[in-house]
Amino acid sequence: MSTARFVRSHYQLREEIDIQKIKKTINKLNENEDFHRREKSVIAICDIVTAVHKCYRNVALQNQLIDNLVAILSDKPVSMHDRQIGKSALSKKPLIMQVLILMQYVALRPKSLRFQKKLYWLAIALHTAVLLMHYNKKMHTYNILMQFKLAQFSKSATRTWIWRELLDKPNMNPADILSSLENILEPKDDDSTQKKSLSDPARRQISKIIAAYQEAHYLKKNIKIIPITDVRPINIATQSADIVINHDQEEWEPNNGRFEGNDLATASQFYTPMTESYEDLTTSFEETIDHYGSPFISYEVNTDLPKGFSVPLQTIDLSLQQNHISQQDLALNSNVRVLPKSSYQLLFSVLYQDAQATDNFDNRTCAQVLLLSMITALPVKSLIIPGYIGHSSIFKIGLNRIYIQHSLGITKRSEEFDSNKYENKFDVVKIPLPPWLINQILDQELPSQEQIQSYIAGLRTKICLPYLSINRIETALQVMLSRYTENSNSHIADLICRSPASQAPAMYYSSHLSEEVFSHYKSALTVLGKDSHFDTSYITSWHKYTLGSGFALTMDYVRSIIVKLQTWTTDSTDDNTHFNRVSILVWFAFCLLTGVRPNNGIGRISDIDLETGWLMIDDKPNRRVKSHRLIPLCTTLIRLLKEYKNYLNDYQMSNLTKEKIRECVQAIQREDDSALLRLLSESFDTLTIIKRGDAYHMVKDIIDANPYWTRHFVRTQLEKRGVDMVLINAVIGHEKARQEALGRFSSLSKSQIKKVSFEFEDIANELGLNAINIQSYRYEQNLS
């Protein structure tokens, strides 16, 4: 069944508009400068729309419609000057005028069924557009006019296909016309007599027409949903950093001698993150979550544990709990908390079958709620609260689709989005839902907690899954995305399943296309529904946008920053100024080619191996938690750091009287535990470590942004280059608990990590950093 047909149960026909109001809307075109000296064309538009409107009111007139249209257009309402239909000339005219011109061109050609069909549908499109203008629906007005214009004007098969699918002469009432359009979207059996399913571009074209037509003729009903005051939009950033693991398990599933009944109320907690503060710089939410250490487990003491049960054995393998998806996915496939793929597929198949059953109402409602939880990772406890499903804060119910959405809660930028500067426009993740499922749940009474428990107990026996639980159903989507879906990974799973920010900071440093997210989600459901023929055609990329980090800058913009920094350095007026500017330039290059957290004292010379090309970094200020990781150095950065060491030596030799500088440079040359990158003190007699605040203030006129943007940039660039997500997390330092590359559970080799240096070198080349040479001030002056 079509998506719109299900959703339309929540819509009603609009009241018929008086013809005089329609004419008034059309006559407003005369006030537009684009219609100056085109009064005759405006009259023709009015006559065509009036003729179509009368057919809606009196179906008997529809047989005369073609003759009426031909009579109107035979009078040639479009002037000779406007009659040119070349691509350039046509595009300069108002869109509604373009459609009229094409209609006149069609009307003057020999009559045939094909000619009549085109004129018929172009007239319907014109009438629909005017209705949308009356309702001030600008996007839908544009869509329906543009789609029919392209279908008539273009010679491409990707546009003209629609004429083959449209009915020759549909009955002139909104329900029949809408149904005929929806039927085009219907997937057909692939045999010799029926057409195949539409391609994605074709599906998008017809979907825009359907949406516009529905908006013109249908109005959303007031769905009676019990108001709930404590339901708010899902914002991951507002979730607690402390993750409840086995909370209130007994409320859902009493012991009954089973394994899970003995789980303790446990929680995964974090030390308070320590961040550095600087004058004029605010610590963003993204920076805070980027400084969390590994979590530790807390639990309630329980002296009534059965013999043989211990706290560590029961809690070391953290379970996945919705709203708080687990921070680890290293559990073995033999782990009883994670089902094998075949079991998830079997479970999905049974739930899908029971959700459509007609012989057992109680089982059907339970199956529908559990199926919804399984494909959204929404908690069952929430779904059975009256008024939760369909609540406008989470569920978006429209004419064409139903979806849930959640936001990452990124820190808002201080300026408007500029696609030339920023990678991502939004932080909203939208997950399409099958309309038939939501409609049926809204039209019936929700099951109780006891009914859900009883149904699951029956499922355990029916499909022979003794470990089946609410928790495993709620977390099925996360497991499928991270383990069993091709090209997907735990990062995508975190993004779609709303893992809390403290557990998945990578979400705030990444960049994704909405189509990419939809594709992964659709693939996961395709794998889940392999044995059930679950229809995923409702999952389409209807809204294309970029989402993720609010501070990830584009490659072109960062390249322009590097050029300005080079010019700024070259324009130094003395050797001391030149020293500080060179140091800042190399500091930014270091950050951009390693992705380190730009905290104080990064790049200690004892942690840098310029011979083998490795950096051992611990860039979190919290010294209670060690976070060492290996970062491979690219050829350009190795050369820049070697040249900078020589630059330090040259500067020291030119300032032999400055004893503190000499001591500092000698310590660096001996590779003592000292920061390599330095700035001159205000008195120019000693060297200090570079603080992020120093870098910000010195280049504020070039880029007025917290230098933490460099970290956002590096991660998004590595993702764009298709680097394996495990390697990105290892290099950036976003590994989850017990997955660190240097940890005992790591399966990464140094050679794998080393290969990332080639990607860093590509970034260096694109930014122009490979063309930078570090020379002394005197050398540059001699060259100039």
Side-chain angles (χ1 to χ4, degrees), residues 366-419:
C366 291
Q368 287 173 350
V369 170
L370 293 175
L371 183 63
L372 180 59
S373 176
M374 195 171 188
I375 65 175
T376 60
L378 285 170
V380 175
K381 283 184 181 179
S382 298
L383 294 177
I384 62 174
I385 297 174
Y388 184 88
I389 298 177
H391 197 285
S392 59
S393 295
I394 300 171
F395 290 79
K396 307 301 177 182
I397 301 178
L399 275 167
N400 294 308
R401 60 191 57 84
I402 299 177
Y403 61 94
I404 58 171
Q405 73 175 31
H406 61 272
S407 65
L408 301 180
I410 64 173
T411 303
K412 293 191 178 299
R413 289 183 288 255
S414 59
E415 58 184 343
E416 292 295 322
F417 172 74
D418 180 354
S419 60

Side-chain angles (χ1 to χ4, degrees), residues 246-268:
N246 292 317
H247 181 62
D248 290 338
Q249 183 75 20
E250 70 284 350
E251 183 180 339
W252 270 109
E253 302 177 69
N255 186 0
N256 294 334
R258 295 188 303 103
F259 174 83
E260 270 133 335
N262 295 307
D263 279 359
L264 298 177
T266 60
S268 174

Side-chain angles (χ1 to χ4, degrees), residues 8 104 173 180 307 362 491 498 573 610 711 738:
R8 209 188 310 153
Q104 179 171 305
N173 68 73
S180 72
K307 184 178 180 180
D362 289 340
H491 171 66
R498 303 170 300 281
T573 56
L610 295 178
R711 188 160 163 81
R738 302 193 297 156

Side-chain angles (χ1 to χ4, degrees), residues 96-201:
I96 195 170
M97 184 74 181
Q98 295 179 40
V99 174
L100 178 66
I101 293 170
L102 294 173
M103 288 183 70
Q104 179 171 305
Y105 180 78
V106 171
L108 297 177
R109 297 178 70 84
K111 292 186 177 181
S112 66
L113 288 177
R114 180 167 170 266
F115 142 83
Q116 292 180 10
K117 175 198 266 191
K118 287 188 174 183
L119 205 55
Y120 205 96
W121 280 101
L122 288 170
I124 290 174
L126 206 63
H127 175 266
T128 305
V130 171
L131 293 183
L132 291 167
M133 289 165 57
H134 176 77
Y135 296 125
N136 197 29
K137 304 292 184 180
K138 295 180 181 179
M139 182 189 73
H140 290 296
T141 303
Y142 172 85
N143 282 343
I144 195 163
L145 290 174
M146 179 58 74
Q147 294 307 316
F148 275 99
K149 171 224 169 173
L150 292 174
Q152 174 57 28
F153 180 75
S154 175
K155 296 180 180 179
S156 171
T158 58
R159 295 293 182 182
T160 58
W161 67 271
I162 195 171
W163 297 119
R164 297 193 307 271
E165 306 296 334
L166 292 171
L167 293 181
D168 291 340
K169 187 184 290 187
N171 292 327
M172 289 298 290
N173 68 73
D176 287 348
I177 291 178
L178 187 55
S179 293
S180 72
L181 292 171
E182 290 171 349
N183 286 335
I184 299 175
L185 275 176
E186 293 285 354
K188 306 295 182 183
D189 296 332
D190 188 10
D191 59 34
S192 58
T193 61
Q194 292 181 304
K195 58 183 179 292
K196 298 179 182 179
S197 296
L198 296 177
S199 64
D200 286 342

Side-chain angles (χ1 to χ4, degrees), residues 51 144 176 195 240 243 257 261 328 413 498 609 643 652 731:
I144 195 163
D176 287 348
K195 58 183 179 292
S240 171
I243 310 305
Q328 61 91 31
R413 289 183 288 255
R498 303 170 300 281
D609 190 334
E643 289 179 359
Q652 179 253 325
V731 170

Side-chain angles (χ1 to χ4, degrees), residues 419-644:
S419 60
N420 295 318
K421 182 176 181 179
Y422 294 107
E423 290 281 1
N424 304 310
K425 186 173 184 179
F426 298 108
D427 74 336
V428 174
V429 181
K430 299 179 179 181
I431 306 299
L433 302 177
W436 66 267
L437 180 60
I438 302 302
N439 277 290
Q440 289 188 22
I441 292 177
L442 289 177
D443 289 340
Q444 60 198 13
E445 187 177 344
L446 291 169
S448 66
Q449 185 171 305
E450 292 72 22
Q451 288 174 312
I452 293 283
Q453 290 173 344
S454 175
Y455 176 70
I456 289 181
L459 277 184
R460 291 192 189 101
T461 303
K462 182 178 180 180
I463 59 179
C464 300
L465 280 179
Y467 287 113
L468 180 61
S469 65
I470 292 288
N471 182 255
R472 290 184 180 85
I473 293 174
E474 292 173 342
T475 59
L477 180 61
Q478 196 272 348
V479 176
M480 295 302 297
L481 284 164
S482 59
R483 289 172 174 242
Y484 304 126
T485 304
E486 187 177 2
N487 298 324
S488 185
N489 49 60
S490 60
H491 171 66
I492 295 296
D494 290 335
L495 199 64
I496 292 176
C497 298
R498 303 170 300 281
S499 290
S502 58
Q503 300 285 352
M507 295 187 296
Y508 296 82
Y509 290 80
S510 61
S511 176
H512 299 280
L513 295 172
S514 58
E515 304 99 294
E516 175 192 355
V517 176
F518 289 150
S519 176
H520 287 301
Y521 179 66
K522 189 172 186 177
S523 296
L525 292 198
T526 301
V527 175
L528 261 179
K530 177 185 175 183
D531 300 326
S532 60
H533 304 292
F534 181 74
D535 182 14
T536 59
S537 61
Y538 68 91
I539 305 175
T540 58
S541 303
W542 78 93
H543 184 192
K544 295 182 179 180
Y545 60 95
T546 52
L547 64 99
S549 165
F551 305 100
L553 303 179
T554 63
M555 176 62 75
D556 289 342
Y557 189 76
V558 176
R559 188 187 301 115
S560 70
I561 293 173
I562 298 300
V563 171
K564 292 176 183 178
L565 287 176
Q566 286 180 266
T567 303
W568 174 67
T569 302
T570 305
D571 291 344
S572 301
T573 56
D574 57 72
D575 59 343
N576 292 330
T577 302
H578 187 264
F579 181 93
N580 282 342
R581 292 183 177 182
V582 165
S583 296
I584 291 297
L585 175 61
V586 177
W587 187 86
F588 272 102
F590 185 85
C591 293
L592 289 168
L593 298 180
T594 58
V596 297
R597 296 175 177 88
N599 290 325
N600 296 349
I602 56 172
R604 306 186 77 82
I605 189 62
S606 58
D607 294 334
I608 301 174
D609 190 334
L610 295 178
E611 298 305 318
T612 59
W614 285 106
L615 167 66
M616 173 74 80
I617 190 78
D618 180 15
D619 50 7
K620 290 183 180 179
N622 189 349
R623 295 306 166 197
R624 291 179 298 178
V625 178
K626 296 299 181 183
S627 57
H628 288 88
R629 68 183 187 280
L630 279 174
I631 300 177
L633 303 181
C634 67
T635 304
T636 293
L637 184 57
I638 292 173
R639 178 182 58 79
L640 288 175
L641 294 179
K642 286 182 176 178
E643 289 179 359
Y644 184 76

Side-chain angles (χ1 to χ4, degrees), residues 633-781:
L633 303 181
C634 67
T635 304
T636 293
L637 184 57
I638 292 173
R639 178 182 58 79
L640 288 175
L641 294 179
K642 286 182 176 178
E643 289 179 359
Y644 184 76
K645 286 182 70 176
N646 294 332
Y647 179 83
L648 285 175
N649 195 53
D650 288 344
Y651 182 84
Q652 179 253 325
M653 294 299 294
S654 301
N655 296 270
L656 294 174
T657 59
K658 299 179 179 179
E659 184 177 346
K660 292 182 179 179
I661 290 178
R662 176 174 55 82
E663 292 175 354
C664 183
V665 172
Q666 288 177 350
I668 291 173
Q669 298 297 344
R670 291 194 305 268
E671 297 188 358
D672 291 348
D673 189 17
S674 178
L676 170 60
L677 304 176
R678 299 285 187 144
L679 286 177
L680 287 168
S681 62
E682 292 183 2
S683 58
F684 304 123
D685 61 350
T686 188
L687 297 178
T688 63
I689 62 173
I690 299 178
K691 297 180 179 180
R692 196 195 319 164
D694 298 329
Y696 166 71
H697 286 292
M698 289 185 68
V699 302
K700 187 175 181 180
D701 292 337
I702 296 175
I703 175 169
D704 187 6
N706 190 321
Y708 222 85
W709 65 262
T710 57
R711 188 160 163 81
H712 293 258
F713 172 79
V714 173
R715 177 164 187 120
T716 56
Q717 288 302 316
L718 291 177
E719 288 181 357
K720 283 176 176 287
R721 284 164 169 73
V723 179
D724 187 276
M725 199 60 64
V726 176
L727 289 173
I728 295 178
N729 289 336
V731 170
I732 297 297
H734 282 159
E735 304 111 319
K736 295 186 179 180
R738 302 193 297 156
Q739 296 179 39
E740 294 83 356
L742 298 181
R744 58 178 176 166
F745 294 110
S746 174
S747 58
L748 282 178
S749 66
K750 287 185 179 179
S751 62
Q752 289 176 292
I753 299 175
K754 187 65 174 176
K755 290 179 181 178
V756 182
S757 65
F758 299 114
E759 306 299 334
F760 281 131
E761 186 63 24
D762 285 344
I763 293 174
N765 293 337
E766 283 201 54
L767 291 177
L769 291 171
N770 61 322
I772 294 177
N773 293 293
I774 307 300
Q775 304 289 354
S776 67
Y777 178 71
R778 287 181 300 168
Y779 182 84
E780 289 192 357
Q781 289 300 304

